[in-house]
Amino acid sequence: MTKSEKLFERAVKRIPGGVNSPVRAYGSIGEAPRFIDRADGCYIYDVDGNRYIDYIDSWGPMILGHNFPAIRESVLKACENGLSFGCATEIEVEMAEFICERIPHVDMIRMVNSGTEAVMSAIRVARGFTGKNKIIKFAGCYHGHSDAMLVSAGSGVMTSGVPDSAGVPKGCTEDTMLAVYNDIGSVKALFEQADGQVAAVIVEAVGANMGVVPPCEGFLEGLRALCDQYHALLIFDEVITGFRLAFGGAAQYFGVTPDLVTYGKIIGAGMPVGAYGGRRDVMELVSPAGKVYQAGTLSGNPVAMAAGLTQLKYLYDHQEIYKELEAKGQMLYGGMEKIAREKGLKVQMNHISSLGSLFFTGQPVVDYVSAKTSDTKAFAEYFKKMLKMGIHMAPSQFEAMFLSAAHTDEIIMETLDAVKLVL
Ligand SMILES: *Cc1c(COP(=O)(O)O)cnc(C)c1O
């Protein structure tokens, strides 16, 4: 038995499913998850001493690679002053100013502790601002685990979402309307049915939680136009794409301006941070400035802010990273696509910038229904063999691969060699 297997045996006795977040359990893979000891640059090491090239990158935060020296040092330095005060600090002001002065559609911002909280709060303020209740979300888009957002399954448009999870009362999701990603007609139909009651449309500007599904031409622009027409707010959930596709996230990348935006992952550099921000007239409604309540004992935590701000400053000062990530994405994902094509495999390689997913289906993947046509057993085989070759990827067909600045061309070539053998 490996150390990972022994740890998993202990874990399942005391932690539901053995993990503190479901995807970590390797559920669709059928073996014990690797327990991680440490990570550095593009490498991650498990407790059995195996080294892997890591394409999970903590699901995105590690865009500069693991254990980035400047971030580690900023955390150690912040720790010397105490871990938390529950009071206002200078670094929170610096963080807010740094973002608002550099991202044109963010006039004001509020820090929270996770992406889930960021989305939950953005939706509350959108409802408070518009005085309406309905929210349009897309099948296959993940926005954290708050009750109203736990609606995604189902194959088509639904005017009243069915909860995906036990323990979510129907009442919590009856105002969540479900549209089809990349299908602007489905959104228009919901707006018409909703009779002026839509507070907001929330979307992952690049779908990255049904595997990677980029928006088709005109989709985001279409959402902007419909929101304007029906006086609803457009919320980009940039928990993955923020500071990743560009410093200004998907909004900058595609040139479409949301009213509100949510951040997570990269913004905390590995510490638990989320944030929501946007138009001043909307954000001024958040308490104590306004009447939409939202709070957090540990929000804006000084150690977390130190890590996040150091990463954001580094990214802003080194924006060549974004060009490099584009090139690396082209090299890795383009390379994978070429290998699959040469072998005549029925797969789809969806990718954009540093994000990519290899879908085991013959059908183009443009939304949740087409993503679901993938052969998850074939994916599991591929995953296990890649892991044996020393490549650590998300243990699910419906997650992205994350490239970081620490993945060199040599590392990518090594990965492609493994792909060639495994496929
Ligand atoms: C990860 C994620 C969330 C949830 O963030 P947590 O920090 O896990 O709560 C929300 N939206 C998107 C798009 C995500 O990828």
Side-chain angles (χ1 to χ4, degrees):
M1 241 194 182
T2 64
K3 273 192 185 170
S4 280
E5 286 165 346
K6 280 185 205 145
L7 279 170
F8 195 52
E9 255 191 19
R10 278 168 60 197
V12 291
K13 290 185 185 138
R14 294 297 184 190
I15 308 172
V19 290
N20 284 313
S21 194
V23 72
R24 295 178 199 167
Y26 279 33
S28 56
I29 304 304
E31 53 181 74
R34 301 299 181 266
F35 280 67
I36 301 305
D37 181 38
R38 67 199 167 87
D40 200 69
C42 70
Y43 290 115
I44 196 161
Y45 301 81
D46 71 14
V47 288
D48 291 290
N50 299 307
R51 186 183 82 172
Y52 306 95
I53 299 171
D54 185 30
Y55 289 102
I56 296 183
D57 280 329
S58 192
W59 308 98
M62 302 307 169
I63 189 169
L64 298 175
H66 289 285
N67 203 7
F68 192 73
I71 295 171
R72 183 179 64 235
E73 276 149 33
S74 73
V75 167
L76 293 174
K77 191 152 166 276
C79 284
E80 286 173 10
N81 294 330
L83 298 187
S84 175
F85 317 119
C87 298
T89 56
E90 182 171 1
I91 195 163
E92 293 166 88
V93 185
E94 281 180 36
M95 179 67 129
E97 285 173 349
F98 192 81
I99 293 171
C100 294
E101 285 164 10
R102 284 161 188 79
I103 299 188
H105 52 280
V106 182
D107 302 326
M108 297 184 97
I109 191 161
R110 167 64 63 84
M111 292 294 142
V112 293
N113 305 292
S114 67
T116 295
E117 251 188 282
V119 168
M120 184 183 78
S121 310
I123 284 173
R124 186 178 301 148
V125 70
R127 285 171 164 160
F129 180 78
T130 58
K132 309 182 209 176
N133 288 336
K134 299 231 175 267
I135 303 290
I136 295 178
K137 86 173 277 289
F138 294 88
C141 282
Y142 179 67
H143 302 293
H145 65 91
S146 67
D147 284 350
M149 290 292 103
L150 278 185
V151 179
S152 73
S155 52
V157 182
M158 291 198 292
T159 50
S160 180
V162 182
D164 260 352
S165 164
V168 177
K170 270 210 196 80
C172 290
T173 58
E174 71 188 12
D175 285 322
T176 308
M177 305 174 91
L178 201 62
V180 178
Y181 197 79
N182 273 331
D183 179 355
I184 200 72
S186 74
V187 185
K188 196 156 190 271
L190 288 177
F191 265 115
E192 280 163 8
Q193 286 165 43
D195 197 25
Q197 285 312 303
V198 177
V201 173
I202 184 162
V203 65
E204 285 184 78
V206 171
N209 285 285
M210 48 180 151
V212 173
V213 180
C216 65
E217 183 120 15
F219 177 59
L220 298 175
E221 291 83 352
L223 295 181
R224 179 69 274 175
L226 282 172
C227 285
D228 290 342
Q229 184 187 338
Y230 288 93
H231 306 289
L233 299 186
L234 180 59
I235 306 173
F236 278 2
D237 181 349
E238 297 235 37
V239 169
I240 283 182
T241 51
F243 314 104
R244 174 169 288 278
L245 292 190
F247 188 82
Q252 179 185 334
Y253 193 90
F254 295 108
V256 177
T257 304
D259 300 296
L260 290 175
V261 60
T262 57
Y263 295 119
K265 300 183 173 124
I266 288 178
I267 199 174
M271 300 294 279
V273 182
Y276 64 106
R279 274 166 52 181
R280 176 175 298 277
D281 57 339
V282 180
M283 289 302 292
E284 271 180 341
L285 273 184
V286 177
S287 63
K291 58 187 193 306
V292 174
Y293 191 71
Q294 188 270 308
T297 302
L298 298 177
S299 295
N301 172 275
V303 182
M305 290 299 103
L309 186 55
T310 303
Q311 172 143 283
L312 295 193
K313 281 183 172 168
Y314 192 93
L315 287 170
Y316 190 78
D317 290 342
H318 297 84
Q319 292 195 46
E320 67 278 5
I321 283 174
Y322 295 112
K323 273 206 195 82
E324 289 163 17
L325 286 175
E326 287 279 342
K328 287 174 193 194
Q330 198 49 50
M331 185 178 177
L332 176 63
Y333 306 129
M336 288 168 71
E337 190 164 32
K338 185 159 168 279
I339 292 166
R341 204 180 325 113
E342 283 167 5
K343 293 183 186 268
L345 296 175
K346 277 198 195 138
V347 295
Q348 309 295 319
M349 186 69 237
N350 280 13
H351 63 103
I352 180 165
S353 181
S354 58
L355 300 168
S357 289
L358 182 67
F359 292 96
F360 288 83
T361 174
Q363 221 175 295
V365 175
V366 296
D367 59 13
Y368 189 57
V369 172
S370 44
K372 280 293 198 185
T373 64
S374 300
D375 180 349
T376 53
K377 283 208 183 90
F379 175 85
E381 281 308 301
Y382 163 72
F383 170 86
K384 278 191 267 197
K385 287 181 179 155
M386 289 295 282
L387 195 64
K388 270 211 186 88
M389 305 278 300
I391 315 290
H392 188 245
M393 300 181 305
S396 161
Q397 171 73 88
F398 306 107
E399 302 282 357
M401 286 177 83
F402 294 88
L403 273 163
S404 79
H407 292 88
T408 61
D409 289 0
E410 293 74 45
I411 290 292
I412 292 172
M413 291 311 292
E414 199 182 321
T415 306
L416 287 173
D417 287 341
V419 170
K420 212 174 276 174
L421 282 172
V422 168
L423 279 186

